[in-house]
Amino acid sequence: MVASQVPNLELEKLIKVARQEPGRALEQEFYSAREFHTADMQAVYRKQWLLAGHVSSIPERGQYFLFEIDKESIIIVRENEASVNAFYNVCRHRGSRICLEREGRRKLLTCPYHAWTYSLDGTLKVARLMPEDFKKEEYGLRACHIRLFEGLIFINLSNGTPPDFDEAYRSMLPLAQQQGLATAKIAVKQRYPTRANWKLVAENFMECYHCQSAHPEYCAVHPQDQLLAVGAGPGSGSGEDAAAYQPILDLWEAESAAMGYLNDMIDAGVLSLGMQQAARYPINSDKGFLSETIDGRPACKKLMGDFKQADGGETALAFNPFSYVLASNDFAVMFRWTPQDEMNTDVEVTWLVHEDAEENVDYDPRNVAYVWDTTLKQDKKITEDNQSGVCSESYQPGPYSTQEARNVVFKQWYLDQLESSL
Ligand code: FES
Ligand SMILES: [Fe+2]
């Protein structure tokens, strides 16, 4: 499909050009051209396991939500207590969308066009007035690869066999389990549709060079030496800054370990499936912050998972450049970026708390969401302004700073993905 739609020669030429300067941002076409967006969808997004949502949003039989990306719409539906299914939202009759609302509850999945009706396992139940030789069993909904990971729903849009989920993410399981993600519930969900190419959204999330100028609240929560060293995850700052921060990290890790908590550090590297990482850091050990809130106090009275007493740590799980979880002891934040076209990316963020936590009793949702909601609104603005400038004829890729080390890795990973699909 790529070969027939994408001018491969042009793509190859641009990959070559981009590789010549690994320490610089990508050329304009990567961020704006329709053809390159098509290539990205095939080479990058369709290959990855994409964080779609959390099981607690569809607890009851028949509850569903749509995962919408580029031209695809996927129905993620609860069939029964044990099973959640994913289907392409495309009727097997003449192709209409079947579910039109972003979320809802259905006993059966009935197409609004001519009322073909599917059960929650995707089999076709009713198709009126079809010829005698019509075989209903041949017209079930097309299934999409789905995988549950500690309550997180991942889907994969590969036509064939998807990459091995366990091989990529098995090592991240203990941290996810400690956080209690499987039994969490949704406290807040928010969308930040961003007029920018997905790579600008992704790159912005991989560096904290912009934190000082763009995020006063985030910088008030985290200490400067941490922002410099690991502001956007392991490897986002320079080696020097990481070394300077290491003694603080070691000290906090010893305190956390004494409470019985696991503190892993995983960095699968540029050759891995999704350049996945997992780590735990203190949020602000200078000020003794216990949570990623504006005053450092937990936003929810009930701590998540194995945490009986707050150690003030933040668990960071990066599954790929568009699927993340960042979690304090008392709440977790799920982030996902889904391209809608070459210059529009849907940013959806979900805050999770302990399943028994009661809204306005144990937590105030505004307090739970405040730091990241504020930060993400700022990110939307700077990323859209970035896109606007990148579209100018005068744009030329400039050099990354020492605070954008992760972007250098991303660029290599991204170009590798594109190249391997040619
Ligand atoms: S397109 Fe769905 S029933 Fe006709
Ligand atoms: Fe930011």
Side-chain angles (χ1 to χ4, degrees):
M1 195 165 168
V2 174
S4 63
Q5 290 185 352
V6 177
N8 269 356
L9 281 176
E10 182 74 355
L11 188 54
E12 270 175 51
K13 201 173 85 195
L14 264 148
I15 291 174
K16 220 178 206 170
V17 170
R19 283 213 193 274
Q20 282 160 11
E21 300 264 20
R24 284 178 187 269
L26 290 159
E27 281 65 26
Q28 183 186 62
E29 291 86 340
F30 288 100
Y31 297 119
S32 59
R34 180 78 205 161
E35 295 87 337
F36 293 93
H37 170 69
T38 308
D40 282 1
M41 291 310 300
Q42 294 296 336
V44 183
Y45 267 89
R46 278 192 182 271
K47 290 199 178 145
Q48 295 292 319
W49 283 99
L50 308 173
L51 176 56
H54 191 264
V55 287
S56 66
S57 69
I58 46 171
E60 307 290 339
R61 179 177 160 78
Q63 276 190 311
Y64 79 88
F65 69 89
L66 299 182
F67 178 77
E68 299 193 301
I69 181 165
D70 194 41
K71 296 186 199 75
E72 301 299 353
S73 171
I74 307 296
I75 306 167
I76 297 174
V77 61
R78 164 84 55 188
E79 185 189 351
N80 54 46
E81 213 175 304
S83 152
V84 175
N85 300 326
F87 302 109
Y88 286 81
N89 190 8
V90 179
C91 182
R92 291 295 309 278
H93 175 223
R94 279 170 50 204
S96 171
R97 292 286 186 228
I98 299 161
C99 295
L100 306 180
E101 284 89 39
R102 277 186 165 270
E103 51 191 43
R105 187 170 184 191
R106 300 278 195 85
K107 279 200 177 88
L108 294 162
L109 301 172
T110 301
C111 178
Y113 199 176
H114 315 92
W116 277 29
T117 297
Y118 307 86
S119 50
L120 302 176
D121 65 4
T123 50
L124 179 61
K125 283 281 181 228
V126 182
R128 294 170 303 120
L129 305 174
M130 296 303 289
E132 240 168 54
D133 59 353
F134 176 73
K135 294 194 178 79
K136 275 201 296 231
E137 58 277 16
E138 288 175 5
Y139 292 91
L141 288 177
R142 185 177 160 207
C144 172
H145 306 290
I146 182 166
R147 185 63 204 258
L148 302 187
F149 178 83
E150 293 301 296
L152 308 179
I153 302 170
F154 285 86
I155 60 140
N156 175 285
L157 301 167
S158 304
N159 289 325
T161 311
D164 190 330
F165 186 97
D166 291 322
E167 190 186 306
Y169 300 123
R170 188 186 295 119
S171 61
M172 290 159 76
L173 191 60
L175 281 185
Q177 284 171 334
Q178 172 170 263
Q179 190 65 42
L181 296 175
T183 53
K185 71 162 190 183
I186 293 174
V188 184
K189 185 145 91 174
Q190 194 65 44
R191 289 174 57 229
Y192 307 85
T194 302
R195 285 188 310 278
N197 182 271
W198 70 270
K199 293 186 289 300
L200 292 179
V201 177
E203 285 193 82
N204 179 62
F205 206 67
M206 284 179 192
E207 51 95 350
C208 208
Y209 190 42
H210 71 274
C211 289
Q212 212 174 2
S213 41
H215 299 316
E217 294 80 4
Y218 192 77
C219 290
V221 170
H222 298 280
Q224 184 65 13
D225 51 2
Q226 183 200 39
L227 294 180
L228 286 174
V230 290
S236 60
S238 72
E240 237 169 59
D241 288 324
Y245 181 64
Q246 194 61 41
I248 298 167
L249 185 58
D250 290 343
L251 199 66
W252 173 82
E253 271 187 8
E255 286 168 15
S256 170
M259 294 181 190
Y261 303 142
L262 172 71
N263 290 292
D264 234 346
M265 168 71 83
I266 294 158
D267 186 351
V270 70
L271 298 178
S272 63
L273 176 64
M275 48 191 286
Q276 57 270 24
Q277 293 185 325
R280 289 197 82 229
Y281 300 112
I283 289 156
N284 189 334
S285 45
D286 290 2
K287 294 188 182 164
F289 272 36
L290 295 178
S291 180
E292 199 177 34
T293 54
I294 202 68
D295 62 3
R297 287 191 298 200
C300 182
K301 284 184 196 149
K302 291 200 163 67
L303 301 186
M304 296 181 79
D306 297 343
F307 299 114
K308 300 288 172 265
Q309 152 188 29
D311 70 350
E314 174 163 51
T315 301
L317 305 173
F319 295 92
N320 51 47
F322 20 81
S323 310
Y324 298 87
V325 173
L326 298 178
S328 298
N329 298 125
D330 57 323
F331 66 89
V333 197
M334 286 181 358
F335 304 78
R336 59 167 232 208
W337 337 133
T338 43
Q340 300 307 306
D341 59 35
E342 61 273 33
M343 274 192 265
N344 284 287
T345 304
D346 197 18
V347 169
E348 188 183 281
V349 179
T350 309
W351 286 260
L352 301 165
V353 293
H354 190 288
E355 61 180 327
D356 298 332
E358 268 185 70
E359 185 172 327
N360 297 326
V361 176
D362 296 307
Y363 68 94
D364 174 350
R366 285 167 306 180
N367 193 22
V368 168
Y370 179 77
V371 170
W372 270 112
D373 178 55
T374 305
T375 305
L376 288 156
K377 283 175 184 150
Q378 294 157 344
D379 277 329
K380 171 179 157 70
K381 169 90 176 84
I382 56 179
T383 308
E384 289 181 344
D385 293 342
N386 189 180
Q387 178 73 65
S388 177
V390 163
C391 287
S392 160
E393 265 185 36
S394 77
Y395 167 73
Q396 286 186 334
Y400 291 124
S401 70
T402 58
Q403 292 298 294
E404 292 161 295
R406 191 78 180 140
N407 297 62
V408 179
V409 179
F410 169 68
K411 180 174 168 179
Q412 189 193 329
W413 176 87
Y414 166 69
L415 294 174
D416 288 351
Q417 307 299 306
L418 273 191
E419 208 161 46
S420 67
S421 77
L422 291 179

